[in-house]
């Protein structure tokens, strides 16, 4: 007779990769009991802490994750941190399967001279700050400056530039935290440079995001005609399908930007290509950045020896993310991921999302990761589970005095944040863990009183 004991699964991390895994496990042929364990009280990972505050439509995908969280077989344990409250090895002893879905939260480091000066920061910190992530609540940013340089030509770079340039009115329907809006909207910033080490056809922006830069109320995009390819058709000749369409759209958008007058609006966003950063200039604080002109051969940039400087008061390095090693799991230093075979890491240990395959792709790219790992778990535990999972985990939480936040608690936080929002804003976020826990204890409201 088939063993009826459900497979006990712990998913570490409650971002898209974690939730798609939970959803896929619920749909697999074997009964599963799934516990989603999250370091913060709040769920949804980069949906809350990464997707820009003015992109609320993108954040709506969390409603789907909520449906998954509300299924009986799924429990949510927020405010529980692995390798602090529980060692990964302990969880592996408690659960049949442990799925690591912790993302890639660190910056790929900018390693040029002067990168340690004040006023140089990575996109993880800047994005975390403008999204009210508790880790970055106290980021001390001096934005009493006119010019910002953002290094990188991906969607994160464009998000950073746009959030700096949107007007307060343009942010009314966002959940930009008050302390962030106060600093950004008081800043006398007039120019933001988005600098790519390769050419316009190599930029990784998606076209909706790029076009948005041409539609800002107070900002005009600037593009140098001499950096545009002579022929868009020739440039994309070897490309096919979706990639070709995206490149053509991006190049057309940039060609339009090249026609815009610099004085059309009070602020400018400059698209600068063929430039790699070589040195941060200034004393203790950044005063500028030196770039070397590049030429691109076979898709690779190489320096030409010609340099130029941009004076600026802030440099944001948006050159991608990396995952740190996790105690108890193997680590591939070069790729900054957990080495895995289609998500399988070791017996009963799996990885999904950015920690599995690196920091690229849209939110939906995480779905197949979850489906593949759910299939592995279904096959690996075809006779059912054997480890106690939730019951033992809950007992250990109690024994260790860990204050976990369940999904009802999160819904309460969510409700308070929504009730505290002004006008068309979707919510006023709590920006520290303490505030969140106090709110659950009835001690404070998100309005900060
Ligand atoms: P990304 O798309 O990989 O872009 C990283 C950028 O950094 C590239 O332009 C890269 O140039 C550049 N770069 C890397 N190392 C560099 C160096 N040493 N010096 C100068 N430039 C360097 O990464 P991302 O922007 O962090 O985004 C991560 C993923 O999230 C992407 O898949 C992105 O599309 C997604 N995302 C989507 C949205 C959205 O849809 N709205 C928003 C945010 C993020 P090369 O190309 O030359 O390597």
């Amino acid at each position: 007779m088939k063993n009826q004991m459900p497979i006990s699964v712990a998913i570490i991390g409650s971002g898209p990769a974690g939730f798609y895994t939970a959803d896929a496990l619920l749909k697999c042929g074997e009964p599963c009991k799934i516990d989603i364990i999250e370091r913060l009280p709040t769920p949804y990972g980069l949906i809350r802490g990464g997707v820009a505050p003015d992109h609320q439509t993108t954040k709506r995908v969390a409603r789907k994750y909520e449906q998954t969280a509300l299924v009986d077989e799924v429990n949510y344990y927020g405010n529980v941190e692995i390798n602090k409250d529980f060692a990964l090895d302990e969880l592996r002893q408690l659960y049949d399967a442990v799925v690591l879905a912790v993302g890639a939260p660190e910056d790929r480091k900018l390693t040029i001279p002067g990168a340690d000066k004040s006023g140089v920061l990575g996109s993880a910190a800047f994005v975390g700050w403008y999204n009210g992530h508790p880790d970055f609540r106290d980021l001390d940013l001096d934005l009493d400056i006119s010019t910002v340089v953002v290094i990188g030509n991906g969607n994160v770079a464009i998000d950073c530039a746009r959030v700096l340039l949107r007007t307060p009115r343009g942010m009314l329907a966002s959940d930009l935290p008050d302390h962030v809006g106060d600093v950004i909207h008081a800043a006398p910033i007039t120019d933001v440079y988005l600098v790519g080490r390769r050419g316009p056809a190599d930029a990784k922006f998606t076209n909706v995001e790029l076009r948005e830069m041409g539609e800002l109320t107070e900002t005009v995009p600037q593009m140098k005609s001499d950096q545009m390819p002579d022929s868009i058709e020739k440039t994309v000749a070897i490309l096919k399908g979706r990639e070709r369409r995206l490149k053509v759209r991006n190049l057309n958008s940039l060609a339009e930007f090249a026609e815009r007058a610099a004085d059309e609006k009070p602020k400018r966003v400059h698209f600068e290509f063929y430039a790699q950063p070589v040195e941060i200039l200034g004393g203790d604080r950044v005063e500028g950045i030196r770039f070397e002109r590049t030429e691109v051969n076979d898709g690779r940039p190489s320096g030409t020896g010609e340099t130029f400087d941009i004076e600026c008061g802030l440099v944001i390095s948006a050159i991608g993310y990396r995952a740190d090693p996790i105690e108890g799991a193997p680590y591939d230093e070069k790729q900054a991921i957990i080495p895995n075979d289609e998500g399988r890491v070791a017996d009963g240990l799996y990885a999904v999302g950015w920690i599995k395959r690196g920091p690229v792709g849209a939110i939906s790219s995480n779905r197949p990761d979850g489906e593949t790992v759910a299939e592995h778990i279904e096959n690996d535990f075809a006779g059912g589970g054997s480890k106690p999972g939730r019951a033992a985990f809950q007992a250990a939480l109690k024994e260790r005095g860990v204050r976990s936040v369940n999904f009802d608690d999160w819904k309460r936080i969510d409700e308070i944040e929504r009730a505290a929002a002004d006008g068309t804003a979707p919510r006023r976020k709590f920006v520290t863990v303490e505030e969140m826990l106090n709110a659950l204890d009835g001690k404070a409201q998100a309005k900060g009183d």
Side-chain angles (χ1 to χ4, degrees), residues 107-108 120-128 139 160 315-319 321:
D107 284 306
R108 193 178 284 157
V120 181
L121 77 161
S123 53
F126 188 64
V127 170
L139 189 75
C160 293
V315 171
I316 300 170
S317 163
I319 60 172
Y321 294 117

Side-chain angles (χ1 to χ4, degrees), residues 11-19 21 38 99-103 350-355:
I11 298 174
I12 319 294
S14 67
F19 268 102
T21 306
E38 163 63 50
V99 182
L100 294 164
V102 295
Y350 308 84
V352 290
W354 283 6
I355 185 93

Side-chain angles (χ1 to χ4, degrees), residues 216-234:
L216 298 174
T217 319
E218 287 193 348
T219 302
V220 62
Q222 295 288 282
M223 170 71 202
K224 292 176 172 154
S225 317
D226 62 1
Q227 292 189 343
M228 285 299 295
D230 295 336
S231 155
I232 292 179
E233 273 309 304
K234 271 192 198 153

Side-chain angles (χ1 to χ4, degrees), residues 46 50-52 55 58 108-111 123 151-159 162 195-198 202-206 209 212 275-277 291 299 301 317-321 354 359-363 365:
L46 282 183
V51 173
H55 279 182
T58 310
R108 193 178 284 157
K109 289 273 174 290
L110 184 68
T111 53
S123 53
I151 305 170
N153 270 182
N155 280 328
V156 170
I158 227 166
D159 278 351
R162 192 185 65 254
V195 188
R197 61 181 171 179
R198 299 192 287 154
D202 305 304
K204 289 176 172 159
F205 312 130
T206 39
E209 278 66 26
E212 229 179 335
Q276 61 189 13
F291 287 97
S317 163
I319 60 172
Y321 294 117
W354 283 6
V360 282
I363 294 163
S365 317

